Amino acid sequence: MAASTHSDYSCSTQPEETWVPMDQAREHLIQRGYHIRSFKKTRSNCYKLYGFNQEGKKVDVYFNPVDLSKVKEH
């Protein structure tokens, strides 16, 4: 059985010009209490944050780039 990957889902089907710009998204997430080690756009049209949540727990979080809603966390 194949392992599930981030390519099994898509965070957004909206055109990139409707997305929150990466630097604004990053700043918004910092203001929400995340400590970011890495922040990037994925092939599945997500913004992916690798770092720590508000409680200091290590997280990998995928966000919808249009509204920054959390899509998946692990």
Side-chain angles (χ1 to χ4, degrees), residues 7 13 16 29-30 37 39 41 46 48 59 69 71 74:
S7 61
T13 57
E16 235 177 288
L29 295 171
I30 289 170
R37 298 192 89 181
F39 188 69
K41 175 187 155 192
C46 301
K48 179 184 178 191
V59 292
S69 59
V71 175
H74 50 91

Side-chain angles (χ1 to χ4, degrees), residues 4 6 8 11 15 17-18 22 24-25 29-33 40 44 47 52 63 68 71-72:
S4 177
H6 66 82
D8 292 339
C11 292
E17 55 269 8
T18 65
M22 279 192 77
Q24 286 181 16
L29 295 171
I30 289 170
Q31 289 176 4
R32 286 176 47 189
K40 65 182 182 176
S44 56
Y47 284 154
F52 300 90
F63 294 93
L68 300 181
V71 175
K72 184 174 184 178

Side-chain angles (χ1 to χ4, degrees), residues 9-72:
Y9 61 92
S10 176
C11 292
S12 176
T13 57
Q14 298 297 315
E16 235 177 288
E17 55 269 8
T18 65
W19 294 12
V20 175
M22 279 192 77
D23 37 341
Q24 286 181 16
R26 183 183 181 91
E27 185 59 36
H28 177 77
L29 295 171
I30 289 170
Q31 289 176 4
R32 286 176 47 189
Y34 287 98
H35 298 279
I36 299 173
R37 298 192 89 181
S38 161
F39 188 69
K40 65 182 182 176
K41 175 187 155 192
T42 69
R43 288 178 285 178
S44 56
N45 293 328
C46 301
Y47 284 154
K48 179 184 178 191
L49 177 152
Y50 172 75
F52 300 90
N53 67 12
Q54 300 84 346
E55 293 81 37
K57 180 182 173 197
K58 194 181 290 187
V59 292
D60 259 330
V61 188
Y62 293 84
F63 294 93
N64 179 313
V66 176
D67 62 8
L68 300 181
S69 59
K70 192 184 302 183
V71 175
K72 184 174 184 178

